[in-house]
Amino acid sequence: QVQLVESGGGLVQPGGSLRLSCAASGRIFSINVMGWYRQAPGKERELVALITPLRRTNYADSVKDRFTISRDTAKNTVYLQMNSLKPEDTAVYYCNVVQYGQNFWGQGTQVTVSS
């Protein structure tokens, strides 16, 4: 089993920044894809960004050039640096790991962008 614990969410004003972290523990291997998803009230969960073991990245069009995903393999941690935040970025952000065909999810962390 893999356990994921997110941190770093909170309330920020439009134009501000936040950095999310997700620490993985348990039977975690370096050969996995790590990513961030988000779900706003009344909407479906959507992909924000993901990063492969070779550090190739993929972003949702809505966050390109504002968000940056990175990973520290030694620490089994994935990060999401979020800049120029907008009210429409408000959502619960979930960490995800895909490993040997299995999906693992964190409990989610709330990000609220409001003045």
Side-chain angles (χ1 to χ4, degrees):
Q1 284 289 355
V2 173
Q3 294 79 42
L4 303 174
V5 178
E6 301 109 331
S7 61
L11 173 64
V12 64
Q13 292 186 342
S17 298
L18 281 175
R19 188 191 195 207
L20 305 183
S21 299
C22 172
S25 61
R27 292 180 59 81
I28 189 77
F29 302 97
S30 60
I31 304 175
N32 55 48
V33 176
M34 306 184 84
W36 290 94
Y37 288 72
R38 67 186 181 187
Q39 187 167 18
K43 295 188 177 181
E44 294 186 352
R45 191 173 297 189
E46 63 176 0
L47 173 69
V48 176
L50 57 83
I51 184 166
T52 72
L54 296 180
R55 290 178 168 74
R56 292 182 178 178
T57 58
N58 187 36
Y59 295 93
D61 288 342
S62 59
V63 306
K64 281 180 180 176
D65 300 323
R66 298 189 298 122
F67 291 10
T68 302
I69 189 170
S70 61
R71 64 190 289 169
D72 185 330
T73 302
K75 296 181 179 179
N76 291 326
T77 300
V78 62
Y79 305 96
L80 185 68
Q81 177 66 43
M82 305 185 293
N83 299 327
S84 302
L85 282 161
K86 305 175 181 180
E88 50 263 44
D89 294 318
T90 295
V92 178
Y93 284 70
Y94 296 91
C95 177
N96 172 262
V97 168
V98 179
Q99 181 169 277
Y100 296 121
Q102 286 188 289
N103 262 289
F104 300 95
W105 294 94
Q107 80 286 354
T109 185
Q110 177 70 45
V111 172
T112 302
V113 185
S114 175
S115 55

